[in-house]
Amino acid sequence: KEIKIHNPESLKKEFEELKQKEEIEKENKRKQEELDRLKRETEQLKQKEEFEKLELLKIKINKINNPIKQKVKLNIGGTIFMSTIETLTCEKLTFFSSLFSEQFNTQPDEDGEIFIDRDPKYFPIILNHMRGVNISPILEKIPNEELLLLIQEVRYYQIGSLLEKIPEKIPTNFFFDENYKCSNLMVSNNRLTVTKTGSSSHSTILGNIGFSKGKHNWKVRIDNSNDGHWLAFGVSEKKGTVPASTFDKAFCCSGRSQLYNVQGNNSNWQTGHIISIELDCDQGSLKITGPTTNVHANGLTGKVLYPYFNLYDPNNACTIIFD
């Protein structure tokens, strides 16, 4: 019998070709498995997208069928509050009635929240008022300075029914605000007297309460005028920093007969003179009267006005007095 003897080189070549074929088959199999995996994941994503679309459709249908009952998660300055559109829009012409109107079509963010960049400290009071809770006992316990901050928040949200309740709780009596004065003014007498120190320069101090509603009256006794030299009394809006000698936000007159944003007659004030200030925020009017003074201003509605005092000469002094 004839025995066929293979050439070693030929055997080696056949082995390498077989090995290469196996590797190609393995690679093709791996590619097919990867392709099958991608197809499965794609199908899963499609199912997930369809599910999410269905959930969104359910939410939209729920909004149409029951819009005002919809729950809302509010993020007020980093603090979360839960409520409903029905509660938040219980009053017309407010911040929230606009926020949830068709015009704005406000939608929650990716966390399901509606962010409002305001101080959250007083929002529970505002929210409870909209829920119909009697907040009068709470208002009575809030210090006057904090009531002013609450008023700012109520004005921002435009809750008129709540704003009407607050001014009744703020007394007319005030005192000098040591946090809003020039450094060369010295406050004494339970914060009812202020004295100018240092050299001659305009130096301003305000009362600690700003008024925006109601009628408010106070008097200022001139304890030292330096023979009629410069002092000024009236009202002013508050700026971010204490203005030493600017009067663009003030409505006042001085003991040297200057008038700032007011009209009338005025002449030199003397030590012992008592100047009366009457502010009617509802009518937007101001009256400043005294032995040599009869001054007025109108058109002051819509402003938050603080009692205003400006002293110029060293040892100028005045005291707030109430009837």
Side-chain angles (χ1 to χ4, degrees):
K1 184 177 179 180
E2 184 181 358
I3 299 174
K4 186 177 181 179
I5 300 175
H6 292 277
N7 188 323
E9 292 295 326
S10 176
L11 286 172
K12 182 178 179 181
K13 183 178 180 181
E14 289 179 5
F15 177 77
E16 290 177 349
E17 289 177 349
L18 180 61
K19 184 178 179 181
Q20 185 177 14
K21 183 178 179 181
E22 289 178 349
E23 290 177 351
I24 291 173
E25 289 177 351
K26 286 181 179 179
E27 179 65 17
N28 289 338
K29 183 179 179 181
R30 186 190 68 77
K31 289 181 178 179
Q32 185 62 45
E33 289 175 349
E34 179 68 14
L35 182 62
D36 292 342
R37 183 184 67 80
L38 291 174
K39 286 182 178 179
R40 289 194 301 271
E41 290 182 357
T42 300
E43 185 62 29
Q44 290 174 356
L45 286 172
K46 287 182 179 179
Q47 293 177 0
K48 183 179 180 181
E49 289 176 359
E50 291 298 322
F51 175 78
E52 290 176 349
K53 288 180 181 179
L54 181 60
E55 289 301 306
L56 288 174
L57 182 60
K58 288 180 179 178
I59 293 173
K60 289 180 179 179
I61 293 173
N62 183 55
K63 286 183 179 180
I64 294 172
N65 292 335
N66 204 359
I68 63 174
K69 297 290 185 181
Q70 180 190 354
K71 292 181 181 179
V72 178
K73 183 188 290 187
L74 298 177
N75 184 336
I76 311 293
T79 302
I80 303 300
F81 296 90
M82 295 297 298
S83 188
T84 65
I85 293 181
E86 180 181 24
T87 296
L88 296 171
T89 60
C90 63
E91 189 170 326
K92 296 180 179 179
L93 302 177
T94 68
F95 172 89
F96 290 109
S97 65
S98 298
L99 185 69
F100 295 110
S101 66
E102 294 181 358
Q103 178 182 358
F104 287 92
N105 191 27
T106 303
Q107 298 297 323
D109 59 20
E110 61 274 11
D111 298 319
E113 302 168 358
I114 295 176
F115 180 74
I116 301 174
D117 192 14
R118 300 295 294 183
D119 189 340
K121 181 176 182 179
Y122 304 102
F123 192 73
I125 296 175
I126 296 171
L127 183 57
N128 279 334
H129 171 75
M130 291 188 289
R131 288 169 173 162
V133 176
N134 178 17
I135 61 169
S136 295
I138 299 174
L139 294 177
E140 292 174 356
K141 297 178 181 179
I142 299 177
N144 295 335
E145 294 86 349
E146 292 194 25
L147 277 177
L148 297 174
L149 298 176
L150 172 60
I151 288 173
Q152 292 179 4
E153 295 305 304
V154 174
R155 283 201 180 107
Y156 179 83
Y157 294 112
Q158 301 170 293
I159 312 297
S161 60
L162 176 54
L163 192 62
E164 291 175 357
K165 294 183 177 182
I166 298 176
E168 299 176 0
K169 305 299 178 182
I170 299 180
T172 296
N173 292 7
F174 61 90
F175 47 78
F176 287 118
D177 188 350
E178 293 186 277
N179 296 317
Y180 199 89
K181 72 177 185 67
C182 293
S183 59
N184 53 7
L185 293 177
M186 181 180 66
V187 175
S188 60
N189 185 28
N190 294 320
R191 291 186 283 181
L192 294 176
T193 297
V194 62
T195 303
K196 174 71 166 60
T197 64
S199 59
S200 296
S201 62
H202 286 290
S203 303
T204 293
I205 186 169
L206 299 184
N208 69 310
I209 295 178
F211 303 116
S212 61
K213 285 184 176 294
K215 296 180 180 180
H216 308 278
N217 306 282
W218 63 94
K219 296 178 181 180
V220 185
R221 184 183 67 230
I222 300 174
D223 299 320
N224 187 352
S225 69
N226 280 357
D227 296 326
H229 283 192
W230 215 100
L231 298 96
F233 307 138
V235 296
S236 176
E237 295 181 272
K238 181 181 284 189
K239 292 186 176 182
T241 57
V242 182
S245 59
T246 56
F247 304 95
D248 57 313
K249 295 292 184 180
F251 302 85
C252 66
C253 60
S254 80
R256 295 290 296 272
S257 304
Q258 292 97 333
L259 304 178
Y260 297 92
N261 302 311
V262 295
Q263 297 176 335
N265 300 309
N266 185 42
S267 60
N268 285 358
W269 294 341
Q270 301 295 326
T271 299
H273 280 184
I274 294 178
I275 309 303
S276 299
I277 293 103
E278 300 177 23
L279 176 64
D280 188 334
C281 297
D282 299 329
Q283 296 296 322
S285 64
L286 171 70
K287 293 181 180 179
I288 304 175
T289 57
T292 59
T293 303
N294 189 358
V295 169
H296 66 275
N298 295 301
L300 306 186
T301 54
K303 302 178 184 295
V304 180
L305 297 169
Y306 293 76
Y308 173 89
F309 310 83
N310 193 294
L311 289 71
Y312 182 80
D313 284 324
N315 298 318
N316 277 162
C318 63
T319 297
I320 304 167
I321 56 178
F322 299 99
D323 292 331

